[in-house]
Coordinates of all heavy atoms in Angstrom, one line a residue:
K45 N -5.2 23.6 -7.4 CA -4.3 22.6 -7.7 C -3.2 22.3 -6.7 O -2.9 21.2 -6.3 CB -3.6 22.9 -9.1 CG -2.7 21.9 -9.6 CD -2.1 22.2 -11.0 CE -1.2 21.1 -11.6 NZ -0.7 21.5 -12.9
V46 N -2.7 23.5 -6.1 CA -1.8 23.4 -5.0 C -2.4 22.8 -3.8 O -1.7 21.9 -3.1 CB -1.2 24.8 -4.7 CG1 -0.4 24.8 -3.4 CG2 -0.4 25.3 -5.8
L47 N -3.6 23.2 -3.4 CA -4.2 22.6 -2.2 C -4.5 21.1 -2.4 O -4.3 20.3 -1.4 CB -5.6 23.3 -2.0 CG -5.5 24.7 -1.4 CD1 -6.8 25.3 -1.4 CD2 -4.9 24.6 0.1
K48 N -4.8 20.6 -3.5 CA -5.1 19.2 -3.8 C -3.7 18.4 -3.7 O -3.7 17.3 -3.1 CB -5.7 19.0 -5.2 CG -7.1 19.4 -5.3 CD -7.7 19.0 -6.6 CE -9.3 19.3 -6.7 NZ -9.8 19.0 -8.0
R49 N -2.6 19.1 -4.1 CA -1.3 18.4 -4.0 C -1.0 18.3 -2.5 O -0.4 17.4 -2.0 CB -0.3 19.3 -4.7 CG 1.1 18.6 -4.8 CD 2.1 19.4 -5.5 NE 1.7 19.7 -6.8 CZ 1.7 21.0 -7.3 NH1 2.0 22.0 -6.5 NH2 1.3 21.2 -8.5
I50 N -1.2 19.4 -1.7 CA -1.0 19.4 -0.3 C -1.8 18.2 0.4 O -1.2 17.5 1.2 CB -1.4 20.7 0.4 CG1 -0.4 21.8 0.0 CG2 -1.4 20.6 1.9 CD1 -0.9 23.2 0.4
I51 N -3.1 18.0 0.0 CA -3.9 17.0 0.6 C -3.4 15.6 0.2 O -3.3 14.8 1.1 CB -5.4 17.2 0.1 CG1 -5.9 18.5 0.8 CG2 -6.2 16.0 0.5 CD1 -7.3 18.9 0.1
R52 N -2.9 15.4 -1.0 CA -2.4 14.2 -1.4 C -1.2 13.8 -0.6 O -1.0 12.7 -0.2 CB -2.1 14.1 -2.9 CG -3.3 14.0 -3.8 CD -2.9 13.6 -5.2 NE -1.9 14.5 -5.8 CZ -2.2 15.6 -6.5 NH1 -3.5 16.0 -6.6 NH2 -1.3 16.4 -7.1
N53 N -0.3 14.8 -0.4 CA 1.0 14.5 0.2 C 0.8 14.3 1.7 O 1.5 13.6 2.4 CB 2.0 15.6 -0.1 CG 2.6 15.4 -1.4 OD1 3.6 14.6 -1.6 ND2 2.1 16.1 -2.5
T54 N -0.2 15.0 2.3 CA -0.6 14.8 3.7 C -1.1 13.4 3.9 O -0.7 12.8 4.9 CB -1.7 15.9 4.1 OG1 -1.2 17.2 3.9 CG2 -2.0 15.7 5.6
L55 N -1.9 12.9 3.0 CA -2.4 11.5 3.1 C -1.2 10.5 3.0 O -1.2 9.6 3.8 CB -3.3 11.3 1.9 CG -4.1 9.9 1.9 CD1 -4.8 9.7 3.2 CD2 -5.0 9.8 0.7
T56 N -0.3 10.8 2.1 CA 0.9 9.9 2.0 C 1.6 9.9 3.4 O 2.1 8.9 3.8 CB 1.8 10.4 0.9 OG1 1.1 10.4 -0.4 CG2 3.1 9.6 0.8
T57 N 1.8 11.1 3.9 CA 2.6 11.2 5.2 C 1.9 10.5 6.3 O 2.5 9.8 7.1 CB 2.8 12.7 5.6 OG1 3.4 13.4 4.4 CG2 3.8 12.9 6.7
Q58 N 0.6 10.7 6.4 CA -0.3 10.0 7.4 C 0.0 8.5 7.3 O 0.2 7.8 8.3 CB -1.7 10.3 7.3 CG -2.0 11.7 7.7 CD -3.5 12.1 7.4 OE1 -4.1 11.6 6.4 NE2 -4.1 12.9 8.2
R59 N -0.1 7.9 6.1 CA 0.1 6.5 6.0 C 1.5 6.1 6.2 O 1.7 5.0 6.8 CB -0.2 6.1 4.5 CG -1.7 6.2 4.2 CD -2.1 6.0 2.8 NE -3.5 6.2 2.6 CZ -4.1 6.3 1.5 NH1 -3.4 6.3 0.4 NH2 -5.4 6.5 1.4
L60 N 2.5 6.9 6.0 CA 3.9 6.5 6.3 C 4.1 6.5 7.8 O 4.7 5.6 8.4 CB 4.9 7.6 5.7 CG 5.1 7.4 4.2 CD1 5.9 8.7 3.7 CD2 5.9 6.2 3.9
V61 N 3.5 7.5 8.5 CA 3.5 7.5 10.0 C 2.9 6.2 10.6 O 3.4 5.6 11.5 CB 2.8 8.7 10.5 CG1 2.6 8.6 12.0 CG2 3.7 10.0 10.3
N62 N 1.7 5.9 10.1 CA 1.0 4.7 10.5 C 1.8 3.4 10.3 O 1.9 2.5 11.0 CB -0.4 4.6 9.9 CG -1.3 5.6 10.4 OD1 -1.2 6.1 11.5 ND2 -2.3 6.0 9.6
D63 N 2.5 3.4 9.1 CA 3.3 2.2 8.7 C 4.5 2.1 9.7 O 4.8 1.0 10.1 CB 3.8 2.3 7.3 CG 2.7 2.0 6.3 OD1 1.6 1.7 6.7 OD2 3.0 2.2 5.1
V64 N 5.2 3.2 10.0 CA 6.3 3.1 10.9 C 5.8 2.7 12.3 O 6.5 1.9 12.9 CB 7.0 4.5 11.0 CG1 8.0 4.5 12.1 CG2 7.6 4.8 9.7
L65 N 4.7 3.2 12.7 CA 4.1 2.8 14.1 C 3.8 1.3 14.0 O 4.0 0.6 15.0 CB 2.9 3.6 14.4 CG 3.2 5.1 14.7 CD1 1.9 5.9 15.0 CD2 4.1 5.3 15.9
E66 N 3.3 0.8 13.0 CA 2.9 -0.6 12.8 C 4.1 -1.5 12.9 O 4.2 -2.6 13.5 CB 2.1 -0.9 11.6 CG 1.5 -2.3 11.5 CD 0.5 -2.6 12.6 OE1 -0.4 -1.7 12.9 OE2 0.6 -3.6 13.3
L67 N 5.2 -1.1 12.2 CA 6.5 -1.8 12.3 C 7.0 -1.8 13.7 O 7.6 -2.8 14.2 CB 7.5 -1.1 11.4 CG 7.3 -1.4 9.9 CD1 8.3 -0.5 9.1 CD2 7.6 -2.9 9.6
G68 N 6.8 -0.7 14.5 CA 7.3 -0.7 15.9 C 6.5 -1.7 16.7 O 7.0 -2.4 17.5
R69 N 5.2 -1.7 16.5 CA 4.3 -2.7 17.3 C 4.7 -4.1 16.9 O 4.8 -5.0 17.8 CB 2.9 -2.4 16.9 CG 2.3 -1.2 17.6 CD 0.8 -1.1 17.5 NE 0.4 -0.8 16.1 CZ 0.1 0.4 15.7 NH1 0.3 1.5 16.5 NH2 -0.2 0.7 14.5
S70 N 5.0 -4.3 15.6 CA 5.4 -5.7 15.2 C 6.7 -6.1 15.8 O 6.9 -7.2 16.3 CB 5.6 -5.7 13.6 OG 5.7 -7.0 13.1
R71 N 7.7 -5.1 15.9 CA 9.0 -5.4 16.6 C 8.8 -5.8 18.0 O 9.5 -6.6 18.6 CB 9.9 -4.2 16.4 CG 11.3 -4.5 16.9 CD 12.3 -3.3 16.6 NE 11.7 -2.0 17.2 CZ 11.3 -1.0 16.4 NH1 11.3 -1.1 15.1 NH2 10.9 0.1 17.0
E72 N 7.8 -5.3 18.7 CA 7.5 -5.5 20.1 C 6.6 -6.8 20.2 O 6.3 -7.1 21.4 CB 6.8 -4.4 20.8 CG 7.7 -3.1 20.8 CD 8.9 -3.3 21.6 OE1 8.9 -4.0 22.6 OE2 10.0 -2.7 21.2
G73 N 6.3 -7.4 19.1 CA 5.5 -8.7 19.2 C 4.0 -8.4 19.3 O 3.3 -9.3 19.8
V74 N 3.5 -7.2 19.1 CA 2.1 -6.9 19.3 C 1.3 -7.4 18.0 O 1.7 -6.9 16.9 CB 1.9 -5.4 19.5 CG1 0.4 -5.0 19.6 CG2 2.6 -4.9 20.8
M75 N 0.4 -8.2 18.2 CA -0.6 -8.6 17.2 C -2.0 -8.3 17.6 O -2.4 -8.7 18.6 CB -0.4 -10.2 17.0 CG 1.0 -10.6 16.5 SD 1.4 -10.2 14.8 CE 0.4 -11.4 14.0
I76 N -2.7 -7.6 16.7 CA -4.1 -7.3 16.9 C -4.9 -7.9 15.8 O -5.0 -7.5 14.7 CB -4.3 -5.7 16.9 CG1 -3.4 -5.1 17.9 CG2 -5.8 -5.4 17.2 CD1 -3.4 -3.6 17.9
T77 N -5.4 -9.1 16.1 CA -6.1 -9.9 15.1 C -7.6 -9.7 15.1 O -8.2 -9.3 16.1 CB -5.8 -11.4 15.3 OG1 -6.3 -11.8 16.7 CG2 -4.4 -11.8 15.2
S78 N -8.2 -9.9 13.9 CA -9.7 -9.7 13.8 C -10.1 -10.5 12.6 O -9.3 -11.0 11.8 CB -10.0 -8.2 13.6 OG -9.4 -7.7 12.4
D79 N -11.4 -10.6 12.5 CA -12.0 -11.3 11.2 C -12.2 -10.2 10.2 O -12.9 -9.1 10.5 CB -13.3 -12.0 11.6 CG -13.1 -13.1 12.6 OD1 -12.1 -13.7 12.6 OD2 -14.0 -13.4 13.3
F80 N -11.8 -10.5 9.0 CA -12.1 -9.6 7.8 C -12.0 -10.5 6.5 O -11.5 -11.6 6.5 CB -11.1 -8.5 7.7 CG -9.6 -9.0 7.6 CD1 -9.1 -9.1 6.3 CD2 -8.8 -9.2 8.7 CE1 -7.8 -9.5 6.2 CE2 -7.5 -9.7 8.6 CZ -7.0 -9.8 7.2
S81 N -12.8 -10.0 5.5 CA -12.8 -10.7 4.2 C -11.6 -10.4 3.4 O -11.2 -9.2 3.4 CB -14.2 -10.4 3.5 OG -14.2 -9.0 3.1
V82 N -11.3 -11.2 2.5 CA -10.3 -11.0 1.5 C -10.7 -9.9 0.6 O -9.9 -9.0 0.2 CB -10.0 -12.3 0.7 CG1 -9.0 -12.0 -0.4 CG2 -9.4 -13.4 1.5
S83 N -11.9 -9.8 0.3 CA -12.4 -8.7 -0.6 C -12.2 -7.4 0.0 O -11.8 -6.4 -0.6 CB -13.9 -8.9 -1.0 OG -14.7 -8.9 0.2
S84 N -12.5 -7.2 1.3 CA -12.4 -5.9 2.0 C -10.9 -5.5 2.1 O -10.6 -4.3 2.0 CB -13.0 -6.0 3.4 OG -12.3 -6.9 4.3
L85 N -10.0 -6.5 2.3 CA -8.6 -6.2 2.3 C -8.2 -5.6 0.9 O -7.5 -4.6 0.9 CB -7.8 -7.5 2.6 CG -6.3 -7.5 2.4 CD1 -5.6 -6.6 3.4 CD2 -5.7 -8.9 2.3
V86 N -8.4 -6.3 -0.1 CA -8.0 -5.9 -1.4 C -8.6 -4.5 -1.9 O -7.8 -3.7 -2.3 CB -8.3 -7.0 -2.5 CG1 -7.9 -6.5 -3.9 CG2 -7.6 -8.3 -2.2
M87 N -9.9 -4.4 -1.6 CA -10.5 -3.2 -2.0 C -10.0 -2.0 -1.2 O -9.9 -0.9 -1.8 CB -12.0 -3.3 -1.9 CG -12.7 -4.3 -2.9 SD -14.4 -4.4 -2.9 CE -14.9 -2.7 -3.7
S88 N -9.8 -2.2 0.1 CA -9.2 -1.1 0.9 C -7.8 -0.6 0.4 O -7.5 0.6 0.4 CB -9.2 -1.4 2.4 OG -8.3 -2.5 2.6
V89 N -7.0 -1.6 0.0 CA -5.7 -1.3 -0.5 C -5.8 -0.6 -1.8 O -5.1 0.4 -2.1 CB -4.9 -2.6 -0.7 CG1 -3.7 -2.4 -1.7 CG2 -4.5 -3.2 0.6
L90 N -6.7 -1.0 -2.7 CA -6.9 -0.3 -4.0 C -7.4 1.2 -3.8 O -7.0 2.1 -4.5 CB -7.9 -1.1 -4.9 CG -7.4 -2.5 -5.4 CD1 -8.5 -3.2 -6.0 CD2 -6.3 -2.3 -6.4
V91 N -8.3 1.3 -2.9 CA -8.8 2.7 -2.6 C -7.7 3.6 -2.1 O -7.6 4.7 -2.6 CB -9.9 2.6 -1.5 CG1 -10.2 4.0 -0.9 CG2 -11.2 2.1 -2.1

Side-chain angles (χ1 to χ4, degrees):
K45 187 175 181 180
V46 170
L47 284 171
K48 287 184 176 179
R49 188 182 303 127
I50 290 171
I51 292 168
R52 285 197 304 273
N53 282 278
T54 301
L55 184 58
T56 300
T57 307
Q58 286 174 330
R59 288 173 184 168
L60 286 170
V61 166
N62 289 333
D63 285 355
V64 172
L65 293 175
E66 189 59 50
L67 283 171
R69 285 190 287 268
S70 189
R71 186 173 57 246
E72 296 299 321
V74 177
M75 299 287 287
I76 305 173
T77 59
S78 61
D79 292 333
F80 59 92
S81 66
V82 173
S83 60
S84 66
L85 166 71
V86 176
M87 291 185 74
S88 64
V89 166
L90 291 170
V91 165

